[in-house]
Amino acid sequence: MNQNKNDQSQSMAGLFTLAIRLVVGWTYFSAFWRRLVIDNKLNPEEAGYIGEKFNHFLPNALGIGPMIEYLVSNPDTLWWAMVTFTIIEGLVGLFIMLGLFTRLMSIGVFKLAMGILLGAGWIGTTCLDEWQIGVLGIATGFTLFLTGSGAYSLDQYFIDKNAKFTRTKWFSWLGSGTLPIKNIKPVVLTGSLAILALTLFTNQYFHGGIFGTLHNKSVKPKLEISNTILNDDYLQFEVFRVEGADVYGSFLIGIQLLDQDGNILINKKGSDLAVFPTEDIHNYYVAKIKPGKHSLIIPLGAKADLTLELDDIDIFKGEEYTLRLIDISGLEWESKLVY
């Protein structure tokens, strides 16, 4: 009798999560649908390649930066990873909507959401877009694991057709039905508090959302300059875009080299950068710095070595020089260097 009541309660809990199952399932399946059916976003040669979007996560990813950097530095491996990722999203989303092996797929929802949170939780131009998607996905995955599916699911269909088979422990853990845990309350409480703690930590880490100064790294572009080399023949430096909107690049309209008295020795304007020699740009990742129509375009997460010939400019040993980069927004970044 108690077992029947437990089964009925579990089935009702699964039924109540039907809307969550359908909506969350579609959010993951739609990624597969968009990339392969509506548009081909798995072609590295076309605009909108998902590998470039993945590259955007790199500058401020939490804990998984080395993995992202390895993939975006190896385009062939990245392509296979994006294909595999897309197929997994499609299967997880479809199975969640159908309610087939719900608990196993809920683990997939949890892990996919965790990847979004850690990789892109800092991205969001108007609100905390990716962070919200990540933490809500994690909470949803945990909830669906606890409830399984009820009516209007293939799990329930198989339970009704073959109760003896589906009452096995493996189906209870991977599909639906009553979880074989004697005291579920501590599990629910511990898991819920852990997810809340992760939510608060990442909210603070990425956005300062609990105390201190609230910030959004997707609003203004930010460039980091490093590895500067200056000699009689050329100026070389590494530029890495680490902040700003992911949907468009930083538009560099000026590169200047100033001497210690503030005199401009090199003054490359937007028209000059629009025809910047591609052979003088050494890109590290799939998101590439390249000349645009009126400027040098630097996508989020792009890193490259830029080389400028000095021609007849005189450089003196021991003197300090300033490298200045100017964005179309008016922002400027400087780096001091000595020959």
Side-chain angles (χ1 to χ4, degrees):
M1 182 69 69
N2 288 335
Q3 182 62 47
N4 289 335
K5 287 184 178 179
N6 289 339
D7 290 346
Q8 290 175 1
S9 297
Q10 189 76 53
S11 179
M12 291 300 293
L15 173 61
F16 293 156
T17 58
L18 177 60
I20 294 174
R21 226 182 63 219
L22 295 176
V23 172
V24 170
W26 174 252
T27 61
Y28 286 103
F29 183 77
S30 66
F32 170 87
W33 190 259
R34 290 193 312 271
R35 293 171 201 159
L36 290 180
V37 179
I38 296 179
D39 197 2
N40 185 3
K41 294 185 179 296
L42 290 174
N43 187 345
E45 304 303 322
E46 293 187 6
Y49 172 47
I50 188 174
E52 290 191 25
K53 173 70 175 179
F54 189 68
N55 197 156
H56 296 161
F57 300 169
L58 175 61
N60 298 289
L62 175 58
I64 60 173
M67 181 196 72
I68 295 175
E69 183 169 24
Y70 172 79
L71 289 174
V72 298
S73 301
N74 296 272
D76 292 341
T77 306
L78 174 65
W79 184 84
W80 280 108
M82 293 299 97
V83 170
T84 303
F85 183 74
T86 298
I87 292 172
I88 291 173
E89 281 189 304
L91 290 176
V92 167
L94 180 62
F95 278 39
I96 282 289
M97 285 191 291
L98 295 175
L100 179 60
F101 291 112
T102 304
R103 290 197 170 107
L104 178 61
M105 294 302 110
S106 72
I107 296 173
V109 170
F110 187 96
K111 290 186 174 181
L112 289 169
M114 183 67 78
I116 293 171
L117 176 63
L118 298 181
W122 64 280
I123 293 177
T125 52
T126 57
C127 60
L128 312 185
D129 306 331
E130 302 291 349
W131 175 79
Q132 291 174 336
I133 292 171
V135 294
L136 289 174
I138 289 171
T140 297
F142 181 65
T143 301
L144 289 176
F145 181 83
L146 295 173
T147 65
S149 294
Y152 313 113
S153 72
L154 289 179
D155 280 349
Q156 189 64 47
Y157 172 81
F158 291 129
I159 289 172
D160 294 339
K161 287 294 183 180
N162 193 338
K164 183 178 180 181
F165 172 72
T166 52
R167 281 187 186 278
T168 58
K169 279 191 175 182
W170 74 265
F171 189 83
S172 296
W173 282 111
L174 301 181
S176 296
T178 303
L179 270 172
I181 300 176
K182 290 184 179 180
N183 189 359
I184 193 70
K185 287 184 179 179
V187 176
V188 175
L189 179 61
T190 302
S192 299
L193 291 178
I195 292 172
L196 174 61
L198 177 66
T199 299
L200 296 177
F201 169 72
T202 52
N203 190 205
Q204 176 62 31
Y205 181 85
F206 288 129
H207 305 288
I210 300 175
F211 58 83
T213 304
L214 188 68
H215 57 269
N216 187 343
K217 294 181 179 180
S218 297
V219 175
K220 297 179 180 179
K222 179 181 178 181
L223 304 182
E224 290 183 351
I225 305 169
S226 60
N227 297 333
T228 55
I229 299 174
L230 180 64
N231 57 38
D232 291 330
D233 300 318
Y234 62 85
L235 165 66
Q236 186 179 85
F237 61 94
E238 180 182 280
V239 60
F240 184 24
R241 183 174 162 212
V242 296
E243 292 183 14
D246 58 321
V247 291
Y248 56 85
S250 169
F251 301 99
L252 205 63
I253 60 168
I255 299 179
Q256 297 178 343
L257 180 67
L258 293 78
D259 65 18
Q260 58 190 18
D261 296 321
N263 299 310
I264 299 176
L265 306 180
I266 295 178
N267 189 20
K268 299 289 185 181
K269 299 181 179 180
S271 55
D272 303 311
L273 299 178
V275 293
F276 198 96
T278 54
E279 61 269 20
D280 291 334
I281 305 174
H282 175 253
N283 283 291
Y284 286 81
Y285 308 137
V286 293
K288 300 185 183 303
I289 297 175
K290 57 187 177 181
K293 190 173 183 180
H294 303 291
S295 63
L296 196 64
I297 301 174
I298 307 181
L300 180 61
K303 179 193 286 188
D305 292 325
L306 303 183
T307 303
L308 287 78
E309 300 296 331
L310 294 187
D311 299 326
D312 297 327
I313 298 173
D314 293 325
I315 302 297
F316 301 99
K317 288 187 178 182
E319 288 197 8
E320 184 179 74
Y321 295 87
T322 301
L323 171 64
R324 178 184 295 161
L325 306 183
I326 305 170
D327 187 76
I328 195 171
S329 65
L331 292 172
E332 298 182 358
W333 303 274
E334 294 185 351
S335 177
K336 302 294 184 181
L337 55 155
V338 177
Y339 175 33

